[in-house]
Amino acid sequence: MSFLSQSDPEIFDAIECEKKHQKESVNLIASENYASRAVLEAQGSFLTYKYAEGYPGRRWYGGCINMDVIENLAINRAKELFKAEHANVQPHSGSQANMAAYFTLINYGDVVMAMDLPHGGHLTHGSPITFSGRTYKFVHYHVSRETERIDFTEIEKLAKECHPKLIVAGYSAYPRIIDFERFKRLADSVGAKFMVDMAHIAGIVAAGLHPSPVPYADVVTMTTHKTLRGTSGGLILCKKELAKELDSAVFPEAQGKAHMHAVAAKAVTLHEAMQPSFVEYQKKVLENARTLAAELLKQGMRLVSGGTDNHLMLVDLTPTGLTGVQVEKALDAAGIIANHNAIPFDSRPPLKTSGVRFGTPAATTRGLGTEEMKKIGALIVQVIKNVDNEKVIEEAKQEVAQICRRFPVPGIDD
Ligand SMILES: *Cc1c(COP(=O)(O)O)cnc(C)c1O
């Protein structure tokens, strides 16, 4: 950091403040994680200079010989790890990956079915404030009011009525196992293609701890920075027949220059995800999530669907009368970082919400275990019950800081 402190003290100072913030707080944002030093080294490398439009062996620029080596490693590792026929490692983000997937699978104006945003869907699954909602006719399905799990009865009914060209599964705030096989049968029965956006659960799938969508879906998109534990980026898998179309949908249709530093970082991320230690890590992520959920329940909180099968959970704050934003702020003050989140059938607007989402991937990477999760669960509930009590929040903050001091932050302290 010495170069930055000399040349740009303002940015340097802000980064130093964020380091302190990260060290002193517990990160329970379900979509975040800490990448390894090796991944950060690749991501921060000079590879960012190189123009490598196109794909290995067919580039639009000279001097790509080493870029081909890097990208081929990333592609082959992705195919091996996820047992996929084809991989594209260039998407700049999960949203870009979804854009390219739609370009591959459907035409402008086509009908697509996906989960409604407040029920766990993503903005790029048809929200009118994104390209997806403006480009395609999205029909949204929901979770059932009783079980708060995917409502296949509704999906079947909707699919028969609206004749979708594509059905999308995969979510941002759904705490349960997804039955991809059932989705595939349903898609086949109405002649629709099937896409899975496993942005959140890619790491759990890689570890074999959640059923893989790869045998069932025409296209699978993901992010590399959530449970997969790399730096920011997207990745797409597909069947051989779609390979050519998918590659041209990513470049040149959706994106230009490949970010070769990011492609190298993805290759390193995938290599790490192929190690036995990665499976152990994902087991701990799930164990920590179950432990945190159990503690929240024990302390009287209501969880959407009653618990979790994966790395995340949603607390329904309705019984407390508080909004998600109020709780997010109070937790922030106590050094517990989480995000407000809509819950299914939420009566509050998206900028307030009745829910707060917790996830364990980042805290688990940092080394926190079930003992710490129990403690943090109890602190979360104390804060929720005392959002206006500065003394309680200050005490919680001290306890959080004490836990944090025992666990160095990867990429910061190492
Ligand atoms: C996070 C997420 C994305 C988007 O990823 P970005 O990299 O933020 O664009 C897409 N789909 C789902 C389901 C997600 O959870």
Side-chain angles (χ1 to χ4, degrees), residues 23-185:
K23 284 161 80 116
E24 290 172 359
S25 48
V26 168
N27 182 355
L28 294 179
I29 306 248
S31 50
E32 292 184 11
N33 213 329
Y34 302 111
S36 72
R37 272 286 168 194
V39 171
L40 288 178
E41 197 177 322
Q43 174 81 13
S45 71
F46 66 91
L47 293 175
T48 190
Y49 305 153
K50 188 68 196 118
Y51 246 104
E53 279 177 355
Y55 293 97
R58 43 198 170 104
R59 304 284 191 185
W60 293 76
Y61 287 79
C64 285
I65 177 169
N66 299 308
M67 300 307 111
D68 286 5
V69 171
I70 290 168
E71 187 162 353
N72 275 328
L73 278 168
I75 291 169
N76 290 332
R77 287 172 183 176
K79 283 161 65 176
E80 189 183 335
L81 178 63
F82 292 106
K83 300 181 180 64
E85 292 175 13
H86 181 73
N88 187 304
V89 296
Q90 291 190 10
H92 300 329
S93 69
S95 297
Q96 297 290 129
N98 285 346
M99 179 185 263
Y102 296 144
F103 288 170
T104 305
L105 292 166
I106 46 176
N107 293 310
Y108 295 160
D110 279 350
V111 174
V112 187
M113 280 179 59
M115 181 83 93
D116 205 8
L117 186 62
H119 289 237
H122 187 259
L123 285 166
T124 56
H125 299 179
S127 162
I129 60 170
T130 76
F131 79 96
S132 63
R134 286 204 296 266
T135 312
Y136 308 101
K137 289 196 198 92
F138 271 83
V139 173
H140 285 119
Y141 59 83
H142 305 87
V143 297
S144 119
R145 214 178 252 278
E146 290 72 45
T147 62
E148 296 176 306
R149 294 175 189 234
I150 296 167
D151 185 352
F152 280 102
T153 316
E154 186 205 27
I155 298 175
E156 264 169 46
K157 187 168 159 280
L158 284 176
K160 280 187 188 129
E161 281 166 16
C162 74
H163 308 291
K165 286 279 188 322
L166 175 67
I167 297 179
V168 181
Y171 318 103
S172 299
Y174 185 70
R176 296 301 184 175
I177 299 282
I178 307 166
D179 187 345
F180 297 125
E181 190 184 356
R182 186 158 180 194
F183 265 108
K184 168 66 175 162
R185 267 188 275 128

Side-chain angles (χ1 to χ4, degrees), residues 69-369:
V69 171
I70 290 168
E71 187 162 353
N72 275 328
L73 278 168
I75 291 169
N76 290 332
R77 287 172 183 176
K79 283 161 65 176
E80 189 183 335
L81 178 63
F82 292 106
K83 300 181 180 64
E85 292 175 13
H86 181 73
N88 187 304
V89 296
Q90 291 190 10
H92 300 329
S93 69
S95 297
Q96 297 290 129
N98 285 346
M99 179 185 263
Y102 296 144
F103 288 170
T104 305
L105 292 166
I106 46 176
N107 293 310
Y108 295 160
D110 279 350
V111 174
V112 187
M113 280 179 59
M115 181 83 93
D116 205 8
L117 186 62
H119 289 237
H122 187 259
L123 285 166
T124 56
H125 299 179
S127 162
I129 60 170
T130 76
F131 79 96
S132 63
R134 286 204 296 266
T135 312
Y136 308 101
K137 289 196 198 92
F138 271 83
V139 173
H140 285 119
Y141 59 83
H142 305 87
V143 297
S144 119
R145 214 178 252 278
E146 290 72 45
T147 62
E148 296 176 306
R149 294 175 189 234
I150 296 167
D151 185 352
F152 280 102
T153 316
E154 186 205 27
I155 298 175
E156 264 169 46
K157 187 168 159 280
L158 284 176
K160 280 187 188 129
E161 281 166 16
C162 74
H163 308 291
K165 286 279 188 322
L166 175 67
I167 297 179
V168 181
Y171 318 103
S172 299
Y174 185 70
R176 296 301 184 175
I177 299 282
I178 307 166
D179 187 345
F180 297 125
E181 190 184 356
R182 186 158 180 194
F183 265 108
K184 168 66 175 162
R185 267 188 275 128
L186 211 152
D188 281 347
S189 75
V190 294
K193 288 173 183 149
F194 179 41
M195 164 181 158
V196 171
D197 174 355
M198 62 170 185
H200 259 265
I201 58 171
I204 309 173
V205 169
L209 301 171
H210 186 293
S212 171
V214 172
Y216 308 110
D218 296 290
V219 173
V220 176
T221 61
M222 74 191 88
T223 60
T224 47
H225 49 277
K226 296 179 184 174
T227 50
L228 200 53
R229 205 159 65 162
T231 41
S232 295
L235 203 155
I236 310 178
L237 309 170
C238 73
K239 304 278 183 220
K240 235 191 241 132
E241 307 86 79
L242 288 170
K244 235 176 132 216
E245 273 174 83
L246 177 76
D247 284 350
S248 54
V250 174
F251 170 82
E253 206 177 347
Q255 294 186 173
K257 183 182 190 284
H259 292 176
M260 290 312 298
H261 57 301
V263 169
K266 286 174 206 178
V268 180
T269 301
L270 293 162
H271 179 69
E272 290 179 359
M274 293 161 102
Q275 308 310 313
S277 57
F278 189 76
V279 177
E280 290 313 304
Y281 160 67
Q282 295 296 346
K283 282 183 183 161
K284 285 185 193 153
V285 168
L286 301 185
E287 190 185 20
N288 277 344
R290 280 195 300 272
T291 306
L292 181 60
E295 187 63 29
L296 294 170
L297 288 168
K298 193 175 127 199
Q299 304 262 351
M301 293 291 115
R302 195 188 91 76
L303 297 186
V304 170
S305 84
T308 179
D309 299 327
N310 59 22
H311 63 299
L312 68 83
M313 65 211 71
L314 266 180
V315 175
D316 174 8
L317 296 164
T318 313
T320 70
L322 298 166
T323 69
V325 171
Q326 277 175 302
V327 168
E328 177 189 301
K329 282 210 176 104
L331 288 172
D332 218 343
I336 298 170
I337 314 299
N339 64 288
H340 66 280
N341 210 103
I343 55 166
F345 310 102
D346 206 324
S347 57
R348 292 197 172 97
L351 287 174
K352 287 206 166 80
T353 77
S354 304
V356 56
R357 187 182 68 164
F358 297 109
T360 53
T364 307
T365 297
R366 195 170 172 176
L368 277 70

